[in-house]
Amino acid sequence: MSNTSINNNEVDIVIAAINSDLEPFMNEWRPVFSQFHLIIVKDPDMNGELHIPEGFNVDVFTKSDIDRVVGSSTSILFSGYSCRYFGYLVSRKKYIISIDDDCIPARDTNGDLVDVVAQHIANLQAPATPFFFNTLYDPYRKGADFVRGYPFSLRSGVTCALSCGLWLNLADYDAPTQALKPEQRNSRYVDAVMTVPVRSLMPVSGINIAFNREVVGPALFPALRLAGEGKLRWETVEDIWSGMCVKVICDHLGLGVKSGIPYVWRRERGDAIESLKKEWEGVKLMEEVVPFFQSVRLPQTAVTAEDCVVEMAKSVKEQLGKVDPMFARAADAMGDWVKLWKSVGSSSPGV
């Protein structure tokens, strides 16, 4: 791992509480999380009290907090996995790390506990290289460098805005793949991280993610909701939609996105065949969405993440809104999100 200096006061760990009993989850993560500030957002659809063990610096936000801050903005829904975006909204830290509550720390090939915070921060603090692919993965990691033929003019890299981690055990497959291969588990730990090239789209999974909030915070939002959205990852596409938006925005602003380590261990949860009935709508929508994101271009006047989201929302409404009303609703939510981000950002900390 590259030399990383972590200022604990620059990091928020955001957890979407889909399960009420967070004690096993929190205790597993205690060695990694205990020195950082945590934001836990309770799924507003969940009844019952959250169970959180002692010994953590944590702020918990519930439905009443969401209603107070969001007010009458009805196009943005913070239910299910989307409740984590409320944590992104109210944070005041430079870096945000978000882990799903069905994950526990992974172990690397030496059997050592993976420190997701240290590795995500290392990914974000080291430059990214989106404009020319380095075949030896991340050239800034210890023991690596730029390979022969890599242009010296590009070796300083650009700011890395987004770090997308991976998963051992239950990988983030869609419902059709998991249903077809119910026994398949990911046991391959690949000790590598790489920059995703410019103009290459990717499915950004919200399960294990970190980003520079100051640079791209407004570009991660809950916008596209399936009609039959459920409480399992393979019953949603909110993170996939947001991820394609943020990748296009990073490309436009000259920022980098990395994929690879750190890993988490993802526990068994849900029934893929049951979920297939709900997610199939999302699987089909992707065929419409990908060509749009491959061709969309943002104007040079868009120089901040907020500008880019507003412009992207216009294009979504114009080009995809007529395909399915779901996209028009997503465009409305994106516009409202930017307004909400600005209003919360101008209020006093700890809204």
Side-chain angles (χ1 to χ4, degrees), residues 137-154:
Y137 310 120
D138 185 350
Y140 304 102
R141 287 191 76 201
K142 186 179 178 181
D145 212 322
F146 292 97
V147 297
R148 181 171 56 87
Y150 201 102
F152 278 86
S153 60
L154 294 175

Side-chain angles (χ1 to χ4, degrees), residues 313-331:
K314 291 178 189 172
S315 295
V316 169
K317 183 155 261 184
E318 288 167 11
Q319 298 180 45
L320 290 176
K322 58 177 88 75
V323 175
D324 191 301
M326 196 181 307
F327 295 124
R329 289 194 294 271

